[in-house]
Amino acid sequence: MTSLVNAAFEKTLVEDNDLPWEIVDAKIRRKIMSYSKDLMLVKVAFEKGGVGATHKHPHLQMSYIAGGVFEITINGESKILKEGDVYFVPSEVLHGAICLEDGILVDVFNPMREDFIHT
């Protein structure tokens, strides 16, 4: 990560319509709403059937379900979560999501996800 990347995106007042969606796959798209080197907030829209494949990363992650219904699996334990629910993923813990009803996750990462930034 370069300081140029940080300087270009440390937005303090962010309007949703000012940011483009990035296509992740046929059923998932995301918007990087803002970030610094220590923190990142990402909005992820899922269509029913969309799968956030099981993975792990060194970042802490906390996610708010802004809409829809998801089956969330963390470290082998699964639970159905809906709008208003939250989940937390510690560093290096396997986790994934299956979208059961169209929805939106708001993901917060510490530190920021350098792999999400296209330079």
Side-chain angles (χ1 to χ4, degrees):
M1 179 181 64
T2 67
S3 60
L4 181 62
V5 170
N6 269 342
F9 220 89
E10 281 186 340
K11 295 181 183 282
T12 56
L13 299 170
V14 181
E15 292 185 47
D16 184 55
N17 290 333
D18 288 345
L19 300 173
W21 285 104
E22 173 189 348
I23 304 301
V24 175
D25 67 28
K27 295 191 178 225
I28 303 173
R29 55 196 175 122
R30 71 178 168 219
K31 284 187 186 189
I32 298 171
M33 303 302 290
S34 191
Y35 65 86
S36 70
K37 67 182 179 62
D38 298 315
L39 193 65
M40 174 182 269
L41 189 138
V42 180
K43 185 188 306 189
V44 187
F46 284 77
E47 293 179 18
K48 182 178 180 177
V51 175
T54 302
H55 65 288
K56 65 180 181 174
H57 44 71
H59 316 84
L60 295 174
Q61 177 179 341
M62 191 168 292
S63 298
Y64 173 76
I65 298 172
V69 178
F70 294 83
E71 179 181 347
I72 305 297
T73 302
I74 300 172
N75 203 26
E77 180 182 351
S78 296
K79 190 165 193 170
I80 305 299
L81 299 177
K82 62 185 181 339
E83 183 174 340
D85 294 338
V86 170
Y87 61 92
F88 171 71
V89 183
S91 297
E92 300 297 347
V93 172
L94 284 172
H95 61 285
I98 299 171
C99 182
L100 304 177
E101 294 179 14
D102 291 2
I104 293 182
L105 299 178
V106 178
D107 295 336
V108 177
F109 299 99
N110 175 333
M112 61 89 74
R113 294 283 306 258
E114 291 183 32
D115 56 317
F116 283 9
I117 306 303
H118 307 285
T119 56

